[in-house]
Amino acid sequence: MTGVLDARARDEAIRTLAAGPLDVLVIGGGITGAGAALDAASRGLRVGLVESRDLAAGTSSRSSKLIHGGLRYLEQGDFKLVREALRERDLLVSRLAPHLVRPVPFLYPLYKKVVERPYVGAGLVIYDAMEGVKRPVPHHRHLTTRGALRRAPALRPERLAGAMMYYDAQVDDARYTVTVARTAARYGATVVTRATATSLLRDGSRVTGASVLDEESGRVFEVRAARVIVCAGVWSDLVHEASRVRAGYQVRMSKGVHLVMPRSAIDADTGMIVRTSKSVLFFIPWDTRWIVGTTDTDWSGDRAEPAVTAEDVDYILGEANRVLARPLTRGDVLAVYAGLRPLVAEPAVDKGGESRAGDKAGDKDGEKPTTKLSREHVVDAPLPGLVSIAGGKFTTYRLMAKDVVDVATADLPGQVPASVTAQLPLLGADGLPAVRASARRLAGDYGVPAAVAGHLIGRYGSLVTELLDLIRADRTLGQPLLDGFPYLRAEVAYAVSHEGALHVEDVLARRVRLLIESPDAGLSAAPEVVTIMAGLLGWNRRRRATELRRYREFAAANAAALTATGPVPEVESAAPIPA
Ligand SMILES: Cc1cc2nc3c(=O)[nH]c(=O)nc-3n(C[C@H](O)[C@H](O)[C@H](O)COP(=O)(O)OP(=O)(O)OC[C@H]3O[C@@H](n4cnc5c(N)ncnc54)[C@H](O)[C@@H]3O)c2cc1C
C-alpha cells in the first residue's frame, strides 16, 4: 500500500477488482468519488473505484479552482454551506493539503460610495467570523480608492470608491483529485481508470456490484461489492437509468466557462471579484496566467466536452471590460474551458413505471435559474446496497465523502469506524515544513537548480524526492518539457509511474495543465510526451502515432472553441457597474 497508481500495473488492479468481493465499489473518479474511496478505505474497508475516463476528467478539472466559502452564497442566505465550506478550506490549507491549497487574496472593488462599503463589509465580517478559531488565512481589510488602484492598476478609476480585500484559497483541481485518489490507494483502495460501470449487479432488489467495461481492451468484468456508491456527477442520471434505478434526486447541468489569459493582460497583483448582472466574475491569478470566469447557464448537450459558444466568451469579456481600464480583446485569450456543475434539482414527479430517473427535472418554465439552485449535496439510497451522491462543491468534498460513506455503511455487518479523514493529511503533506526548509540542500544533493526543487515541492510537497530520484536515474528527465513553462520531463514519467496516466491527454490536460496554459493547447509538447510515455508503456510506432493523433484531435476541438467565437464584443465605455 504505497499510494502509487502505476499505469503499468493496471491489469493487476483489474484482477484485484474482479477477484472481489469488496466492501465498497465507488463509481466515478472525480473529487467526490476519490474522496469517498479515501473515506471508506481509511475506515479499514476493502474499496475499489472505477472511472470511465481519467481521474478528474469530468467537472473536477474544469472548476474555478477555488477552495472557498463562496461570498455570493452568503448573500443568498446559504449560511450552512458557507460555514462548512470555510471550515473545510481552513482544514485543507492548514493540515490536510497545505502543499496543494494556498491562500489567495481577492480585491472586491466598490462603486457605490455610501451603501456598498457597509453592506460588503458586514458580509465579510460574517464570512471571517464563520471560520474556525485558528485562522490560516488573513482577515479582510478595507482599502481606499488609491489603495485599490495600487494593488490593481488595471481597474477603471472612474466611480471607483475603494475596495475590500479578503482571502480565500486556490488549488490545481485535477492534481488535487489525483492526490486524493492516490491517498485512497495508500490506504488500500484499488483504483482503475478507463473502466465504465455499465450496469449494476443485482440479487433481487439488492445491488451487489457492477458490470464494468474495460475501455482499453473492450473486455467486461464484474465487481462484487457489499455496497456501491455512485459519484458520477452530471452522469448520475445515466448511471441510474442504465440499471432502471428510481433515484430520489436528479442532476441539473449548469455550464460554466472560463477564459485563460497571460498575467500581462491585466495589471493587478491580487485576485479580483466583481459583481455582474447575473452573479459574480472572478479574476483568479494562476501562476503566469489569469483565469477569468465564470458563466452559469443550463446545459443539455454533450456531458464529456461541453461546448464553449461565442456568447459565453463575449459575456465574460464584456463583464470584465466593465471594470478594466484597458479592455480585454479576443487576442488576449490563450485558452477557454467549460465544465458542468452537477446541481441537484427537485426529485422528479413519479409518473409511474419502473424508473423515474429519466424524467426531466420539471417544467422548464417553472424551473429556477441555475444560479439560484442550491450548491448543497444530496445523498440518496434508492435500493438496498446502493447509495448515490451529487451536488456540493469541490471545497466540501471531504464532508460529502463522509456523509455518503456513513449512509452506505450504516447497516454493514460489524462496526464500521467513523470517518478519520479530518485527521488524515494527503500524500505529500507529511513533513512539508521540513521539506520546504531543506529545498536548497535538496537541490544541491540532487544536482538540480533551486528553482526546479522549488517548483517540484510546490506541486508534489514532500513527495518531491520521488521525482528527484527519477531525475537522478536519468538526467534528461530534469529538462523542461516545453520552453517557457516550469514543467519537467520527469513529471510526465511520474504521471505514468505514480499517477495512473494512460494517455497523452491525461498528462497534458490534467497532470500538467498545458492544455489550458499554452497557446497551442500543449500540442508542441505532445511528441515529447509520447516519447516518454512510449518508453514506459512499451508503445510501438503505430501506437505512438495513434496517441499523437488522438491528442491532436482533442486539442484541436478545444482550440476550435476559441476560433469559432465570432467578433470581439463591443465595450460600452460608460457601461454601468451592475449593483
Ligand atoms: C465552472 C465551474 C466552476 C466551479 N468552481 C468551483 C470552485 O471554484 N470551488 C468549488 O468548491 N467548486 C467549484 N465547482 C464545483 C465542483 O467543481 C464540482 O462540484 C465537483 O468537481 C464535482 O465533482 P464530482 O466528482 O461530483 O463530479 P465529476 O468531477 O464530474 O466526476 C464524475 C466522474 O464520474 C465518471 N463517471 C460517470 N459515469 C461513470 C460510469 N458509468 N462509470 C465510471 N465512471 C463514471 C466521470 O467520467 C467523471 O469523471 C465548479 C464547477 C463548475 C462547473
Side-chain angles (χ1 to χ4, degrees), residues 27-33 50-54 56-60 62-68 195-198 231-235 239 254-258 294-295 339-342 391-396 400:
I27 298 176
I31 190 59
T32 311
V50 289
E51 158 55 48
S52 62
R53 290 193 289 163
D54 179 30
T59 307
S60 297
R62 300 152 187 263
S63 76
S64 303
K65 314 189 193 316
L66 295 176
I67 298 295
H68 63 161
T196 303
T198 48
C231 301
V234 293
W235 289 266
V239 174
S254 150
K255 188 180 74 170
V257 170
H258 289 90
T294 179
T295 59
L340 298 174
R341 298 176 189 85
K393 290 157 51 100
F394 201 101
T395 306
T396 51
M400 295 170 66

Side-chain angles (χ1 to χ4, degrees), residues 240-473:
H240 299 149
E241 269 172 29
S243 296
R244 301 183 70 74
V245 171
R246 253 179 228 232
Y249 71 84
Q250 285 199 303
V251 166
R252 190 151 155 215
M253 298 189 278
S254 150
K255 188 180 74 170
V257 170
H258 289 90
L259 312 183
V260 184
M261 305 183 190
R263 282 299 279 270
S264 57
I266 302 164
D267 187 7
D269 69 359
T270 166
M272 296 190 283
I273 174 172
V274 297
R275 277 171 177 275
T276 65
S277 48
K278 293 178 189 160
S279 180
V280 292
L281 189 75
F282 283 108
F283 298 78
I284 302 158
W286 181 256
D287 197 18
T288 58
R289 306 282 182 245
W290 287 102
I291 293 177
V292 185
T294 179
T295 59
D296 200 335
T297 51
D298 250 328
W299 178 255
S300 56
D302 180 17
R303 287 169 168 83
E305 297 300 334
V308 177
T309 65
E311 235 184 331
D312 298 324
V313 176
D314 290 356
Y315 168 80
I316 295 173
L317 289 177
E319 292 292 348
N321 286 342
R322 284 169 186 256
V323 297
L324 296 178
R326 182 188 83 74
L328 299 172
T329 68
R330 180 75 35 72
D332 292 313
V333 182
L334 292 171
V336 295
Y337 67 90
L340 298 174
R341 298 176 189 85
L343 302 181
V344 182
E346 297 290 315
V349 180
D350 193 350
K351 295 176 186 157
E354 208 182 337
S355 166
R356 69 178 184 203
D359 298 342
K360 286 278 169 272
D363 201 321
K364 264 276 178 241
D365 298 339
E367 281 179 358
K368 286 187 194 175
T370 51
T371 35
K372 296 271 185 315
L373 279 180
S374 170
R375 264 54 175 169
E376 285 188 42
H377 62 272
V378 170
V379 177
D380 185 38
L383 288 175
L386 180 69
V387 180
S388 181
I389 182 166
K393 290 157 51 100
F394 201 101
T395 306
T396 51
Y397 82 95
R398 198 192 62 78
L399 296 174
M400 295 170 66
K402 172 184 170 302
D403 285 356
V404 77
V405 175
D406 277 347
V407 173
T409 58
D411 59 350
L412 264 187
Q415 184 92 31
V416 175
S419 174
V420 294
T421 54
Q423 287 98 47
L424 218 60
L426 298 187
L427 283 189
D430 249 4
L432 185 66
V435 170
R436 280 182 177 151
S438 341
R440 196 182 282 271
R441 197 205 66 220
L442 270 178
D445 288 354
Y446 281 90
V448 299
V452 163
H455 162 76
L456 293 176
I457 292 170
R459 286 170 51 75
Y460 305 90
S462 53
L463 301 179
V464 58
T465 46
E466 295 183 348
L467 287 111
L468 290 172
D469 285 340
L470 292 180
I471 295 173
R472 182 181 267 165

Side-chain angles (χ1 to χ4, degrees), residues 189-271:
T190 303
V191 177
V192 176
T193 59
R194 295 241 156 46
T196 303
T198 48
S199 64
L200 299 172
L201 305 176
R202 301 243 198 142
D203 182 359
S205 66
R206 174 166 285 279
V207 171
T208 55
S211 189
V212 177
L213 170 68
D214 174 356
E215 302 281 356
E216 297 290 293
S217 69
R219 284 193 301 263
V220 174
F221 58 99
E222 292 191 343
V223 183
R224 304 261 158 203
R227 299 290 178 272
V228 174
I229 300 181
V230 178
C231 301
V234 293
W235 289 266
S236 301
D237 294 352
L238 298 184
V239 174
H240 299 149
E241 269 172 29
S243 296
R244 301 183 70 74
V245 171
R246 253 179 228 232
Y249 71 84
Q250 285 199 303
V251 166
R252 190 151 155 215
M253 298 189 278
S254 150
K255 188 180 74 170
V257 170
H258 289 90
L259 312 183
V260 184
M261 305 183 190
R263 282 299 279 270
S264 57
I266 302 164
D267 187 7
D269 69 359
T270 166

